[in-house]
Amino acid sequence: MEENDIKYAYIFSGPFGMDGRLPEYAFSETAINSVNLIQKLYPELIILPWIGGLQNKSVYLGDSLWVANALEDTERLIEVLEVPGIHVDFEFILSGNPYLENTVNPEKPGDLETYGHNVNEFHRKLRGRLPKAFVSSVVVATSPETRPWKRKTSMDELHTLIKYVDQLSFLYFDTHLHDQRLFEDNCEALIRDIQTLKNSRDIQYLIAVGTFLNVPEIQEYRNLKIESIPNTLKTIKQSVIQVDTINRLVDGISIYSDWATDENEWRDFKRYWRE
């Protein structure tokens, strides 16, 4: 991580359970020792435990008891691991894909409509409970023609969310785009939305890319000819220049992986982003 200039590490510490509690391994001596070791090896790294999960699988943001337990365990996790903050990743799987639908319980009436408000309320309560913590969060890209398998957050919802967070990542993968021009146009649209948000509140705004196994069941969303690391990074850089050549709108990229990023992928990040 130090060799690749990683500033934040989202250490997997979830997901929440159906009762709103985090798994006990996240508080274990092994977890504590792991965090201490990483900080000893790379003191400048900011470790943010990853918490979250899928709505209607183990996350129930509309349940006040679930939320109370989740907030309590989040505060406890920060204290036990002695870290400066947290990385929150809630996701809402849209209906329509049988493979993905099997991973969650059927949604209740109104779940889709109230989800954005419930996410914001969780962050508001988290900020009230931990006013000095560094809070990082994740949303799906706002781009108009992307059709991911996760619910998008509206700009109105985002204007509320950014009141309570210090860092916000926009997932620019699983876009369901299969045309390079559309991919570029929608990346530019995303950055224009980031520009709007940044003018409202100047927190850290990141664009997220992925290194993962491309399982057949979701390849319709994830075209690696378009969403490869080199092409995605080149597209982001190009789009940033198209929108604003003076002000820094994108503060960095965030990397989401299926547990590992190999040496070739690290070389791609260095070549197409850092150089």
Side-chain angles (χ1 to χ4, degrees):
M1 288 188 284
E2 184 174 15
E3 288 176 357
N4 288 282
D5 197 28
I6 300 298
K7 293 181 172 59
Y8 299 88
Y10 309 141
I11 304 296
F12 190 77
S13 304
F16 286 110
M18 293 185 68
D19 57 357
R21 297 297 183 183
L22 288 168
E24 279 304 311
Y25 79 80
F27 305 96
S28 66
E29 286 299 317
T30 299
I32 295 169
N33 293 337
S34 297
V35 169
N36 290 339
L37 177 59
I38 294 170
Q39 290 181 326
K40 181 179 179 180
L41 293 171
Y42 186 8
E44 294 77 21
L45 184 70
I46 298 171
I47 295 177
L48 303 174
W50 178 101
I51 59 172
L54 299 178
Q55 176 68 27
N56 293 332
K57 180 178 182 181
S58 64
V59 171
Y60 294 90
L61 291 170
D63 183 323
S64 59
L65 178 58
W66 189 98
V67 170
N69 289 341
L71 292 170
E72 181 179 304
D73 265 19
T74 300
E75 182 175 14
R76 176 187 166 212
L77 184 67
I78 291 174
E79 292 173 351
V80 168
L81 297 183
E82 297 183 350
V83 291
I86 205 78
H87 179 68
V88 184
D89 183 2
F90 291 127
E91 302 175 7
F92 190 108
I93 293 180
L94 299 173
S95 59
N97 184 302
Y99 169 74
L100 295 168
E101 284 180 349
N102 286 335
T103 66
V104 295
N105 298 318
E107 63 187 70
K108 298 182 290 295
D111 279 354
L112 183 65
E113 292 76 15
T114 59
Y115 175 74
H117 170 76
N118 290 341
V119 169
N120 287 346
E121 278 296 288
F122 182 91
H123 284 81
R124 182 184 67 80
K125 292 174 181 177
L126 181 64
R127 175 56 72 202
R129 193 174 185 121
L130 300 168
K132 295 183 180 179
F134 186 95
V135 178
S136 173
S137 195
V138 184
V139 293
V140 176
T142 55
S143 311
E145 294 171 293
T146 57
R147 292 190 290 122
W149 46 270
K150 302 172 185 176
R151 179 194 185 275
K152 290 184 179 182
T153 306
S154 72
M155 286 296 287
D156 285 344
E157 291 166 344
L158 287 172
H159 276 289
T160 299
L161 178 61
I162 61 175
K163 297 177 184 178
Y164 313 122
V165 302
D166 303 285
Q167 182 188 82
L168 187 61
S169 287
F170 292 84
L171 304 180
Y172 200 59
F173 54 82
D174 293 349
T175 63
H176 208 287
L177 296 177
H178 303 277
D179 177 84
Q180 178 62 24
R181 180 61 184 272
L182 276 178
F183 191 65
E184 293 170 0
D185 289 347
N186 280 271
C187 187
E188 186 174 322
L190 169 60
I191 292 169
R192 291 191 186 279
D193 283 344
I194 290 174
Q195 182 182 47
T196 299
L197 294 169
K198 206 172 186 72
N199 287 336
S200 176
R201 185 160 188 262
D202 189 12
I203 61 172
Q204 292 181 19
Y205 295 95
L206 312 178
I207 297 181
V209 298
T211 65
F212 29 54
L213 300 174
N214 197 21
V215 296
E217 291 83 356
I218 58 173
Q219 286 180 5
E220 64 176 298
Y221 299 96
R222 186 180 294 170
N223 183 341
L224 291 190
K225 291 182 179 178
I226 301 294
E227 296 185 11
S228 67
I229 293 171
N231 188 59
T232 299
L233 296 180
K234 287 188 290 185
T235 298
I236 294 171
K237 278 191 166 183
Q238 173 186 308
S239 299
V240 168
I241 294 171
Q242 290 292 327
V243 175
D244 193 329
T245 58
I246 299 174
N247 300 298
R248 182 176 182 176
L249 301 179
V250 177
D251 296 283
I253 58 170
S254 48
I255 302 168
Y256 291 83
S257 65
D258 284 345
W259 307 107
T261 302
D262 64 32
E263 292 184 10
N264 290 329
E265 289 167 329
W266 283 121
R267 282 194 289 268
D268 282 342
F269 283 118
K270 180 177 181 180
R271 177 180 178 185
Y272 295 103
W273 186 256
R274 293 171 56 201
E275 292 181 352

